[in-house]
Amino acid sequence: MTILVTGGAGFIGANFIYYEQEKHPEDRIVCLDKLTYAGNLSTLEAAMKHPNFRFVRADICDVEAVNALFAEEKPDIVVNFAAESHVDRSIEDPGIFLRTNIIGTQVLMDASLKHGVKRYHQVSTDEVYGDLPLDRPDLFFTESTPLKTSSPYSSSKAGADLLVNAYHRTYGLPTTLSRCSNNYGPYQFPEKLIPLMIANALADKPLPVYGEGLNVRDWLYVEDHCKAIDLIIRHGKVGEVYNIGGHNEMKNIDIVRLICAALGKSEDLIVHVSDRKGHDMRYAIDPTKIHSELGWLPETKFADGIQKTIRWYLDNRAWWENIISGEYRNYYDKMYGERLGRQ
């Protein structure tokens, strides 16, 4: 079987490729990635040694390039990870999010229809549901929760989700869709909370925390997410949406404190900065459906996963140091420089 993985040089996509290569070495994996700022070819260095792996650099919005690849490889399954995904960046420049996350999805689905793909899987996010109140811990997102987006990023992902469902209903495209809570683990780009705090703490730099840091996220170790997607594309019901969550709710400030403790750093490094516009307060996923239908449950406790993640960043400093010395440095200064300067 041939699986086309878009956005495979990014965080979750790369982890998915490694998971598939280990669990299904007989399958051919074709990775399509534009290699934007968050796509790192060095992340796939080990994957490229696999005889059933091919990397293609292209934009999912490029109709000609996408159709040429589909015609050549004839993928059985398409798993679309390719997306602009950082909320702060979407607030700065919404247009690129609409282009990649909506138009790119349309291009991939048109090609899937044209070339007879057996399963098109869209990787989405729990952020399409909006947020939940902090004082209602009994509330969770289910697959029937109405979409209520807060940022240009989540709006673009919700738009893509609706388009996926429309392609299934209107054209009969065999689709599945998953919405996952916050991921953490190896190869995560250092603009995200956990790797950002690890990198800054190791350098004894300020640890910028939005507001009071009371925002709650449901954290899922990335390998558990990959296992869920593998189950969905092979055994999930066509046309269905599956929520993937970790039941690991943590306040942002508690995660930062935990990282400080693990690295032996003082909490004096923590600096509270002005909050993000439209910042969602709490995300929490109810994964009952994927558990009852496919038998999936998260296997990695947060206490174990965060220690494995910290160890990975300690053991792979060259990987993330090369990133933060480049273009990302300019972005970091733009997003946090002014906020930190006001302290």
Side-chain angles (χ1 to χ4, degrees), residues 99 144-145 204 228 260 273 295 302:
R99 179 180 182 273
S144 60
T145 299
D204 293 313
C260 286
V273 301
F302 186 81

Side-chain angles (χ1 to χ4, degrees), residues 43-181:
T43 300
L44 296 174
E45 184 177 353
M48 291 184 180
K49 298 175 183 177
H50 198 287
N52 287 339
F53 179 79
R54 178 190 177 192
F55 177 82
V56 177
R57 183 175 186 178
D59 185 347
I60 61 170
C61 296
D62 186 334
V63 176
E64 185 176 338
V66 168
N67 274 289
L69 181 60
F70 272 67
E72 183 179 357
E73 290 289 351
K74 297 177 175 59
D76 300 286
I77 296 175
V78 175
V79 184
N80 182 27
F81 291 96
E84 295 286 345
S85 66
H86 194 48
V87 174
D88 286 335
R89 287 180 183 264
S90 79
I91 294 171
E92 291 292 309
D93 183 10
I96 190 173
F97 284 72
L98 302 181
R99 179 180 182 273
T100 298
N101 297 354
I102 298 178
I103 300 302
T105 297
Q106 174 229 322
V107 170
L108 290 171
M109 291 194 296
D110 284 344
S112 296
L113 281 170
K114 181 178 180 181
H115 297 278
V117 165
K118 298 173 184 175
R119 176 67 62 91
Y120 175 90
H121 183 75
Q122 180 78 0
V123 180
S124 189
T125 170
D126 60 356
E127 293 194 39
V128 300
Y129 296 124
D131 65 353
L132 297 167
L134 292 178
D135 61 356
R136 289 294 306 277
D138 57 310
L139 295 180
F140 297 88
F141 296 138
T142 69
E143 288 81 1
S144 60
T145 299
L147 305 188
K148 188 180 179 182
T149 61
S150 301
S151 69
Y153 160 61
S154 58
S155 297
S156 68
K157 291 297 288 184
D161 289 2
L162 294 173
L163 197 61
V164 169
N165 292 335
Y167 266 62
H168 171 64
R169 181 165 181 171
T170 302
Y171 304 113
L173 182 66
T175 66
T176 44
L177 195 155
S178 59
R179 295 175 179 143
C180 191
S181 56

